[in-house]
Amino acid sequence: MLGVRTHLSVPAFSSSKHLLRQHLKPHSYSSASASRPSIKMTSSSTPTQSVVEHIVLFKVKDDTEPSKVSAMVNGLSSLLSLDQVLHLTVGPVLRSRSSTLTFTHMLHSRYATKQDLDAYSAHPSHVSVVKGNVLPIIDDIMAVDWVSPALPADHLLTPPGSAIRVSFLKLKENAGDHSKDEILGVIGGMTERFKQISQLSVGENFSPARAKGYSIASLGVFPGVEELEAVVSNEDVVNAEKDKVRDHIESVVVVDYVVPPTQSASL
C-alpha cells in the first residue's frame, strides 16, 4: 500500500447544482438523436442512463510549488461549467496501489455521449488549462474512457466525502472476448458481494492513446473511506473474486480517491 503525498492546499469541487442543471438539459433526453443515451426504467422503477466515464490520473513532479498544484486543480475544476460536462471532480488521490505506476491526482468527469466528451476535450478552455496548468508540472498522465450502460440517473453525482476506487486492467496478449466478458461479469457482480458499494461503473476503454495498454476499467463508489476499508480488509472474499480472473490479467492499476468538499463559490 503506497501513501501519496500531495501539495494541494485548496480542495476541488463537485457541484450538485450544476449537475442537475446539466442533467435536465433537453438534449440529454431527446429521442430524436440516436447518439444520445437512452433513459430506461429498471424493475424497481428507478430511471437509468448510459453515461461516458472519463478518468485522468496525473503524477505531479515532486518539486512543484504548491501554488502551481492549486492552479492546476482549480483550473481543471472550472471546466465543470462547460455545457458538455454532467459531473466533474478533481483532487489529490488517497493512495495509489500499483507497483509500476503511481499517481498523485485524479480527475473524474461524466458526459451524456462520446460526442460530448470529444467537444469537452477540444474546447478552448480545456486546451488552455491543459497547456498552461497541467503539462508543465506533471511527470506522467494516464486517461481511460468507457461507457457505463445503465447508471441510476440520480447517481450521476459522487457526493463530497465519497470514497472512489478506480481499477484499470491490462489483459494478457492471448486474452480474447471470452476473457473480457468473464472479467466484466465478475466486476459487475461486486455490488452483490459487497453491500458497501453504493455505485459501480465498469466497461471497456474506447480511447487507447493515453491508456498505457489498460483496456478494462471500473469505478466503485463508497459512502466514505470507512466503507472502502471494510471491503479492502475482507481479504478472503476479495482474493476469491480476483482468483476467478487472475489468469487473464497482466497488470492492474488501482487508485483510491476521496471526493473533496464542494466549493460552490468557484462556480
Side-chain angles (χ1 to χ4, degrees), residues 39-67:
I39 303 293
K40 61 182 180 180
M41 303 299 286
T42 65
S43 58
S44 59
S45 298
T46 301
T48 62
Q49 175 182 356
S50 65
V51 296
V52 175
E53 305 276 19
H54 177 59
I55 296 286
V56 185
L57 301 176
F58 310 89
K59 183 180 182 180
V60 174
K61 297 176 183 177
D62 291 337
D63 59 350
T64 304
E65 297 175 7
S67 62

Side-chain angles (χ1 to χ4, degrees), residues 85-117:
V85 181
L86 295 177
H87 167 67
L88 186 149
T89 177
V90 57
V93 304
L94 175 65
R95 59 191 162 221
S96 182
R97 296 172 176 266
S98 170
S99 60
T100 57
L101 296 170
T102 58
F103 299 95
T104 61
H105 291 75
M106 186 180 96
L107 178 145
H108 171 221
S109 55
R110 284 172 166 161
Y111 307 84
T113 66
K114 292 181 180 180
Q115 291 85 349
D116 283 349
L117 173 58

Side-chain angles (χ1 to χ4, degrees), residues 9-35:
S9 59
V10 180
F13 69 90
S14 174
S15 168
S16 59
K17 179 179 179 181
H18 184 89
L19 168 73
L20 291 173
R21 183 173 72 246
Q22 295 291 2
H23 182 54
L24 295 175
K25 288 188 299 183
H27 75 255
S28 295
Y29 292 92
S30 172
S31 60
S33 173
S35 65

Side-chain angles (χ1 to χ4, degrees), residues 149-228:
L151 191 70
D154 58 352
H155 285 186
L156 288 179
L157 175 70
T158 53
S162 300
I164 296 177
R165 167 157 288 192
V166 173
S167 301
F168 297 151
L169 280 60
K170 179 185 290 186
L171 305 187
K172 293 181 178 179
E173 290 186 4
N174 60 351
D177 290 339
H178 176 74
S179 298
K180 292 180 182 179
D181 291 342
E182 186 176 354
I183 292 170
L184 292 171
V186 169
I187 298 175
M190 288 294 186
T191 53
E192 296 298 322
R193 297 164 181 80
F194 300 104
K195 300 303 181 182
Q196 297 92 339
I197 302 176
S198 57
Q199 182 185 137
L200 181 65
S201 173
V202 58
E204 189 170 356
N205 175 51
F206 62 79
S207 301
R210 294 186 297 168
K212 300 182 184 294
Y214 290 80
S215 60
I216 292 181
S218 68
L219 182 149
V221 180
F222 301 78
V225 175
E226 181 178 351
E227 288 80 5
L228 170 59

